Each structure stands twice: as structure tokens, then as C-alpha cells.
Amino acid sequence: MSSDVTDPLTAEIQGPTPREMLKARARGHKGLIFGMGIVGLLVLVAILAPVLAPHDPYAQSLMKRMAPPVFLGGTWEHPLSTDHLGRDYLSRLIYGARVSLLIGAVAALISGVIGTAMGVAAGYFGGKVDAVVTFLINVRLAMPVVLVALAVVAILGGSLTVVICVLGLLLWDRFAVVMRASTLQVSRRDYVAAAQVIGASTPRILLTEIMPNIFNNLIVVITLEMAHAILLEAALSFLGLGVQPPTPSWGLMVSEGKNMMLFEPWLVLIPGAVLFLLVLAINLMGDGLRDVTAPEGRS
């Protein structure tokens, strides 16, 4: 009987657990809910593209070229119109989500691994390691991302693999800067000093003491660089040096529709609006995750 009486009282005194507080903050963050909802929806659309797409995104029909969208008098056969080759715009938008999400995720992963390793090493070890990493960061910051990407893609040729590798190898600087600063702060904490005193190995300290306490900053940078990579891919594809036709790409769709922008503006507005929505959702999701996972629990 005594345990039945004291357990609720003990639970009430202890209050909510950290996991419960995390869930409560997440449920109350509108930006996070909206961002995760849009990103999750687009991921689902990309995965189910063969099922959701009403037509083959590569199928051409010159008899149906430049059909207007349904809200401007078109038919439900092609609800978002057709392009200059008669390809269904909705189908190409759906398959284009695969390209944008794949490039954004993989490029952010590659750059995140490189930049995080460099930043954590510089912040924790200091000295010559910090000097070398700082020099490499300064060299990278002196190189314009767009111009370097244009030059490399022009030399190697535009393709999905080339674009992913180029962006992944160019976008690590923000990871390195943020992780270096975060590691410098965390490495001076008492729990890190205690781990060093008891003889914990360097890998153990980095993995169990440093990384969990800088992870929330890493989340923000990952989302920012993912959105950055998606925009850069769209810019390269718009200039004809990114994903090559006939592969569906939102940037390529904008490029193909720019010549008819004054007469059929939806050819540019539709993929541009979807691209804007995806980048906005990713940024809101990253900011929301930062708010929810921050130790101070800012809102």
C-alpha cells in the first residue's frame, strides 16, 4: 500500500522526464510541425513517385505541348499543364522531388562528415591542428562556391553524381566553423575535464562527452547546408551545368520554361514555388529542431 501511495507522489515531485519535455516543446513549435510536415510529405511523394505520377515524366507528345494547367482552363489529364515537349508537368515535378532531396541529403552528409571531423579536431586538440584547420577554412572561404562549382562541372560534365560530389566537397566550411566553436566551448566544461582525469580515451571523450553536447548545433547546420545544396543544384541546372535533360529537375524545369515566361508563366512559377516551399520547410525544420533540442529550451 505504501508503495502505491508514494509512487505517484514521487513522480509528481520529480516532474516530467527530459523526453516528455522534449515532446511537449516539439508539439508546441508551429514552425517545426509545419517544416517536418512539408518535408515529410515531399519525401513520401518522392518515394511513391512511380505510384503517384499520372504519366511517364519522359513521355513526349508534341500534339499536347504547352497545355495550360487546369486552373487556367486546362484538362484534368494534365492538371499542372505540359511543357514545350508535351511532357506532363505534374509527373516531372513529382520525380524532380527525388533529385532535389537526394542531392540535398547526400551533399549535406558528405560535407557534414568532412567539416565536423575537421571542426571537432581543431576545437579539441588546438595548437597545430587548429592552425591547419583554420588555414583550410580560410582557403575554402576565399573560393566562391558557385564559380568553383561551375568550373568543375563544366570540366567534368554535368550529371547527378558529379553535382553531388562537387557540392559535398565545397560546403563543409560552415560545419567546420560551427563545430570548432562549439567544441571549444564544450571542451572546457567540467565533465570533459573529469573524463580526462579518470583516464578516458580521446575517442571516448569525443563520442560520449563532446558530440552529444554539440549535436543540436550540428542539426541546424545540416538543414542549412541541405537547403543550400538544393538551391545550388537548381542554379547549376538552370545554367545548364547541373542535372542534364531529360532527367526531371526543378531547376532545369525553370530553365526550360524561362523563354516562355511572359506567355506561360506557370512553367516557371510552379517549379519555383515548389522549390521555395521545400527550402523554407527545411529551414523551419532545422530552426525548430534547434529550439527543441537546445539545453536552454528556447522557444
Side-chain angles (χ1 to χ4, degrees), residues 24-184:
R25 288 200 297 264
R27 286 193 296 266
H29 200 292
K30 296 180 180 179
L32 175 62
I33 295 174
F34 176 80
M36 291 189 69
I38 296 298
V39 172
L41 178 63
L42 289 176
V43 169
L44 188 63
V45 167
I47 294 173
L48 299 178
V51 178
L52 297 177
H55 300 278
D56 183 350
Y58 302 100
Q60 302 179 15
S61 177
L62 295 180
M63 297 294 293
K64 299 178 180 179
R65 63 188 299 271
M66 309 304 290
V70 67
F71 52 83
L72 290 178
T75 65
W76 284 102
E77 182 182 4
H78 301 286
L80 291 184
S81 76
T82 58
D83 63 6
H84 64 293
L85 295 176
R87 296 172 296 192
D88 183 66
Y89 229 50
L90 176 59
S91 300
R92 291 184 65 78
L93 273 178
I94 292 174
Y95 275 87
R98 285 184 163 186
V99 175
S100 293
L101 290 171
L102 177 65
I103 289 177
V106 179
L109 178 63
I110 295 173
S111 58
V113 171
I114 297 172
T116 300
M118 295 175 63
V120 171
Y124 183 77
F125 295 107
K128 293 182 179 179
V129 176
D130 188 20
V132 171
V133 171
T134 302
F135 173 76
L136 293 176
I137 293 174
N138 290 331
V139 171
R140 162 58 197 85
L141 291 175
M143 300 164 56
V145 176
V146 177
L147 294 181
V148 174
L150 285 173
V152 174
V153 172
I155 294 172
L156 299 179
S159 69
L160 186 62
T161 303
V162 171
V163 171
I164 290 175
C165 292
V166 169
L167 295 181
L169 295 174
L170 283 176
L171 299 179
W172 54 265
D173 55 289
R174 188 173 298 177
F175 286 97
V177 172
V178 174
M179 291 301 100
R180 175 183 176 275
S182 301
T183 304
L184 279 172

Side-chain angles (χ1 to χ4, degrees), residues 85-285:
L85 295 176
R87 296 172 296 192
D88 183 66
Y89 229 50
L90 176 59
S91 300
R92 291 184 65 78
L93 273 178
I94 292 174
Y95 275 87
R98 285 184 163 186
V99 175
S100 293
L101 290 171
L102 177 65
I103 289 177
V106 179
L109 178 63
I110 295 173
S111 58
V113 171
I114 297 172
T116 300
M118 295 175 63
V120 171
Y124 183 77
F125 295 107
K128 293 182 179 179
V129 176
D130 188 20
V132 171
V133 171
T134 302
F135 173 76
L136 293 176
I137 293 174
N138 290 331
V139 171
R140 162 58 197 85
L141 291 175
M143 300 164 56
V145 176
V146 177
L147 294 181
V148 174
L150 285 173
V152 174
V153 172
I155 294 172
L156 299 179
S159 69
L160 186 62
T161 303
V162 171
V163 171
I164 290 175
C165 292
V166 169
L167 295 181
L169 295 174
L170 283 176
L171 299 179
W172 54 265
D173 55 289
R174 188 173 298 177
F175 286 97
V177 172
V178 174
M179 291 301 100
R180 175 183 176 275
S182 301
T183 304
L184 279 172
Q185 288 182 331
V186 172
S187 62
R188 296 170 182 170
R189 302 289 174 86
D190 292 340
Y191 51 80
V192 176
Q196 293 171 341
V197 168
I198 65 175
S201 63
T202 298
R204 181 180 178 85
I205 293 175
L206 293 177
L207 293 176
T208 62
E209 305 295 340
I210 302 293
M211 289 303 300
N213 290 286
I214 63 175
F215 186 70
N216 55 334
N217 294 327
L218 181 60
I219 291 175
V220 178
V221 182
I222 287 176
T223 54
L224 288 174
E225 291 307 315
M226 184 176 176
H228 192 191
I230 291 172
L231 288 177
L232 284 176
E233 179 275 325
L236 291 174
S237 297
F238 179 82
L239 296 173
L241 294 173
V243 177
Q244 297 299 301
T247 303
S249 166
W250 293 343
L252 185 60
M253 292 172 69
V254 174
S255 177
E256 292 174 342
K258 68 180 185 298
N259 293 329
M260 301 297 295
M261 185 170 58
L262 296 179
F263 306 99
E264 283 85 17
W266 59 83
L267 294 175
V268 173
L269 294 178
I270 291 175
V274 176
L275 183 63
F276 165 79
L277 184 63
L278 174 59
V279 174
L280 175 64
I282 292 174
N283 282 312
L284 287 176
M285 183 178 67

